[in-house]
Structure formats: structure tokens, C-alpha cells
């Protein structure tokens, strides 16, 4: 059973169809909480960054049918760092410990190396 289904069937001119697709494209580009004007009403959608798509073309009975379908989960998808990424981050932290407060990491490295005398100015 579906939580909600909206379906609209009507005749459009080619320009009206292009305007409808342009509005949908703008909503997809905007993402997050997007609004699409559909005839007399407005459809509000929460659109994530990643979608699945399906394009279907059927030719038969003297008609061409073009379907463009986008699907995404209704609940936000939580991503957790993989074990490999976490291990890599920890190894990087061990190699490059944070600099002492008030000193840049370059200054900390320089203080460990032999100090050079300042060049003489003429």
C-alpha cells in the first residue's frame, strides 16, 4: 500500500510540457525542500542528493510513451563512516599530531630542526 499517490493526466502543448519539465528540473537542482507547480496546485517534496532513475520508452498502438521516473527513500539515509575510512583517519592523526596551541604546524616543525642565523641586511 502506498502512503500517498498523486496522478495528473491532461493535454498539454509542447511548450507547456517543456515548462513543466523545467519546473521539475529546477526543483531537482534546488534539492532539499523543493516545490513544483503542477497545474492549479503546488507539490512540495524533500529531495535528497542521490536518486535512482528509470527512463522508459514504449512504441505501440500508434503512440510513443516516454516515462521518466525518479525514486528515493522517504526517510533520510544516514551514512556512517566505514571501518576503513575510520582507520585511515586515525593513522593520519598519529602521523600528524595537532600543533601546540598558538603555533602553526610549520613553526612546530621548524623549531625541531636546526636553527639558522638570520640573513644580514646591508
Amino acid at each position: 500500500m502506498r502512503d500517498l499517490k498523486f496522478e495528473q493526466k491532461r493535454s498539454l502543448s509542447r511548450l507547456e510540457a517543456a515548462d513543466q519539465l523545467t519546473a521539475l528540473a529546477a526543483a531537482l537542482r534546488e534539492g532539499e525542500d523543493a516545490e513544483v507547480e503542477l497545474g492549479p496546485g503546488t507539490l512540495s517534496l524533500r529531495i535528497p542528493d542521490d536518486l535512482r532513475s528509470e527512463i522508459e520508452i514504449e512504441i505501440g498502438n500508434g503512440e510513443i510513451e516516454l516515462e521518466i521516473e525518479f525514486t528515493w527513500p522517504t526517510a533520510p539515509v544516514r551514512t556512517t563512516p566505514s571501518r576503513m575510512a575510520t582507520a585511515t583517519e586515525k593513522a593520519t592523526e598519529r602521523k600528524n599530531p595537532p600543533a601546540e596551541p598558538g603555533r602553526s604546524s610549520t613553526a612546530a616543525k621548524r623549531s625541531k630542526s636546526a636553527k639558522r642565523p638570520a640573513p644580514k641586511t646591508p
Side-chain angles (χ1 to χ4, degrees):
M1 182 171 109
R2 295 182 184 257
D3 294 331
L4 171 70
K5 182 174 182 176
F6 171 84
E7 190 171 33
Q8 182 182 64
K9 294 183 180 185
R10 63 187 177 121
S11 294
L12 302 171
S13 70
R14 189 180 73 237
L15 292 177
E16 289 170 323
D19 289 343
Q20 199 170 43
L21 288 172
T22 300
L24 179 59
L28 287 168
R29 187 170 288 110
E30 181 182 319
E32 293 294 320
D33 293 325
E35 293 188 350
V36 182
E37 297 289 329
L38 294 174
T42 301
L43 178 64
S44 296
L45 295 170
R46 179 171 295 270
I47 303 174
D49 290 335
D50 295 315
L51 314 167
R52 288 183 309 276
S53 73
E54 179 180 332
I55 296 177
E56 186 177 319
I57 299 173
E58 293 181 26
I59 301 172
N61 298 329
E63 289 186 330
I64 297 175
E65 182 178 330
L66 169 63
E67 290 183 26
I68 302 172
E69 181 176 293
F70 296 105
T71 56
W72 60 89
T74 55
V77 178
R78 284 186 67 194
T79 57
T80 56
S82 68
R83 289 183 183 174
M84 185 62 150
T86 305
T88 304
E89 288 169 6
K90 286 181 181 177
T92 303
E93 287 173 5
R94 282 193 300 268
K95 286 182 185 176
N96 303 318
E100 295 174 31
R103 298 177 78 177
S104 70
S105 60
T106 307
K109 288 178 186 173
R110 210 179 295 131
S111 67
K112 291 179 183 176
S113 63
K115 292 189 177 185
R116 296 182 190 160
K120 294 182 182 181
T121 56

